[in-house]
Amino acid sequence: MLAPCCGSLNEASVRHSILERAPADSLGVASSESRFTSGMALPLSAIDDDEGAALPSALPPVIDAHVHLFADPLFKAIWRWFEAYGWPIRYKLTTPEVLQFLFSRGVQHVVALHYAHKPNIARGMNAFVAEVVKQSGGRVTGVATVFPGEDDAEGILEEGFAAGLRGVKMHCHVQCFAPDSEALLPVYRACVKHDLPLVMHAGREPSSPAYKCDPYELCSADRVAHVLEAHPKLRLCVPHLGADEFTGYERLLERFENLYLDTTMMMAGYFPVEVPQRLLDCRPERILFGTDFPNLPYAWDREIRRIAATEKREERLAAVLSGNARTLFGIA
Ligand SMILES: [Zn+2]
């Protein structure tokens, strides 16, 4: 089993378990009782757990399909935001340090994700990641970003692809758009044209009341279904296992063969939520291991150790830890 427990858990009981642990009374900003952090003080607390010196040697090859790489000033701004409104950052590492850290501990390959929080910065950000990819000796897959609705969005992505980037990352919460917004059409067109995947934070969680928009108003599994219906050739990966609409995303996995989910933070036992086992079991060939490193409030290997401790089927583990990411991103 991949999950800590709970084959029979449904979304209603997930809500119930959050409410039990965190009565919605003290925060005063979250309007929905189903939110992960409802009633919890923000920022959340760090977990001071032990970390391994390296990945266990018995593990199959590991690709972290959800690592964040930014230039130093952006990293610092993101950490300031997280430490005010999200959670403490345990690993304040620069981009070269992030890669050195993960590779020296046994991670074989990383998929580098970034996102533009305003117009007119995506070109520079994409150039930065493209350079990192070039210098990585084939160990980093980078993707491009663009701000929804900005001028020449398709041209920005075309330039990124020409520079060696192999997909696109978008973030509904930070960029304040709904998945089925018209502003996304150039992104969907570019990805389909080049048959490159889109990683889009289109689930409602993990959310924060500090975002300039309400992820619960923008994001839903239904809206993602509209996107996949309208763009049947789009290969889409939704991070965080689609949290918190686990049942909705289980249905989408069954309906759409181009939909993938990554595990990022959901298998770490950090948020007061339990992932239904049947979500992990329904299309295991389209679940990717990812972490959100370095923006973590707990040990770098916490999530993978928990996955490895519960998933005893070797083939399944190898697929989740690297095989599925190879397929989606075309990693050799
Ligand atoms: Zn992330």
Side-chain angles (χ1 to χ4, degrees):
M1 291 195 305
L2 268 171
C5 76
C6 301
S8 63
L9 206 63
N10 57 28
E11 277 167 43
S13 64
V14 167
R15 286 193 187 107
H16 185 59
S17 73
I18 291 168
L19 281 172
E20 279 179 343
R21 293 202 207 181
D25 56 8
S26 60
L27 197 60
V29 280
S31 59
S32 164
E33 60 189 16
S34 71
R35 295 176 194 231
F36 279 16
T37 55
S38 200
M40 299 162 77
L42 292 176
L44 303 175
S45 302
I47 297 177
D48 188 23
D49 50 349
D50 290 337
E51 60 178 48
L55 290 174
S57 56
L59 282 184
V62 172
I63 295 175
D64 188 335
H66 194 130
V67 172
H68 288 295
L69 299 181
F70 292 96
D72 294 359
L74 272 172
F75 249 149
K76 284 182 181 150
I78 288 166
W79 295 334
R80 278 197 299 274
W81 187 92
F82 265 100
E83 299 209 313
Y85 308 114
W87 48 80
I89 303 296
R90 178 146 157 186
Y91 301 96
K92 289 183 181 167
L93 303 175
T94 64
T95 283
E97 290 167 349
V98 166
L99 297 175
Q100 157 72 15
F101 186 102
L102 294 176
F103 293 155
S104 68
R105 285 162 178 75
V107 174
Q108 190 180 81
H109 192 102
V110 311
V111 178
L113 307 177
H114 65 165
Y115 39 84
H117 64 289
K118 59 185 182 183
N120 302 318
I121 61 171
R123 275 197 165 91
M125 295 175 73
N126 293 339
F128 172 82
V129 173
E131 190 56 34
V132 171
V133 169
K134 272 182 202 140
Q135 292 177 12
S136 74
R139 298 187 74 178
V140 176
T141 295
V143 304
T145 191
V146 68
F147 191 80
E150 76 172 293
D151 286 347
D152 196 24
E154 230 161 328
I156 291 169
L157 296 178
E158 290 285 347
E159 266 177 42
F161 299 159
L165 301 179
R166 302 293 300 155
V168 177
K169 161 78 175 182
M170 304 296 285
H171 197 311
C172 293
H173 304 194
V174 173
Q175 299 179 312
C176 286
F177 66 91
D180 54 356
S181 154
E182 284 201 357
L184 269 291
L185 290 176
V187 175
Y188 299 147
R189 274 198 301 264
C191 287
V192 169
K193 177 180 167 193
H194 292 269
D195 192 25
L196 290 174
L198 169 64
V199 180
M200 180 161 68
H201 189 153
R204 308 188 298 194
E205 294 283 358
S207 68
S208 166
Y211 284 124
K212 289 175 185 153
C213 48
D214 183 355
Y216 276 69
E217 282 176 13
L218 292 174
C219 297
S220 73
D222 284 346
R223 287 178 188 249
V224 170
H226 296 155
V227 171
L228 292 168
E229 282 162 6
H231 308 276
K233 292 192 171 162
L234 177 69
R235 294 188 294 134
L236 176 67
C237 180
V238 175
H240 311 293
L241 294 172
D244 64 324
E245 293 180 280
F246 296 129
T247 305
Y249 275 91
E250 180 192 334
R251 292 193 191 109
L252 295 193
L253 278 178
E254 287 166 352
R255 263 184 78 193
F256 299 102
E257 62 182 21
N258 287 337
L259 175 66
Y260 294 71
L261 306 179
D262 81 30
T263 64
T264 300
M265 290 191 87
M266 290 304 113
M267 307 299 291
Y270 179 68
F271 295 107
V273 66
E274 285 164 300
V275 175
Q277 183 63 41
R278 58 168 197 264
L279 173 66
L280 304 166
D281 284 343
C282 78
R283 292 295 184 275
E285 71 279 15
R286 286 188 267 121
I287 303 286
L288 280 60
F289 166 68
T291 62
D292 248 344
F293 192 83
N295 299 338
L296 296 176
Y298 48 70
W300 70 278
D301 54 346
R302 179 182 179 87
E303 186 162 23
I304 197 167
R305 281 190 276 111
R306 291 171 72 102
I307 291 172
T310 49
E311 178 54 76
K312 297 302 178 194
R313 291 161 291 191
E314 270 178 46
E315 261 181 48
R316 173 86 69 95
L317 187 62
V320 169
L321 294 187
S322 56
N324 299 341
R326 282 186 205 288
T327 305
L328 179 60
F329 291 97
I331 298 165

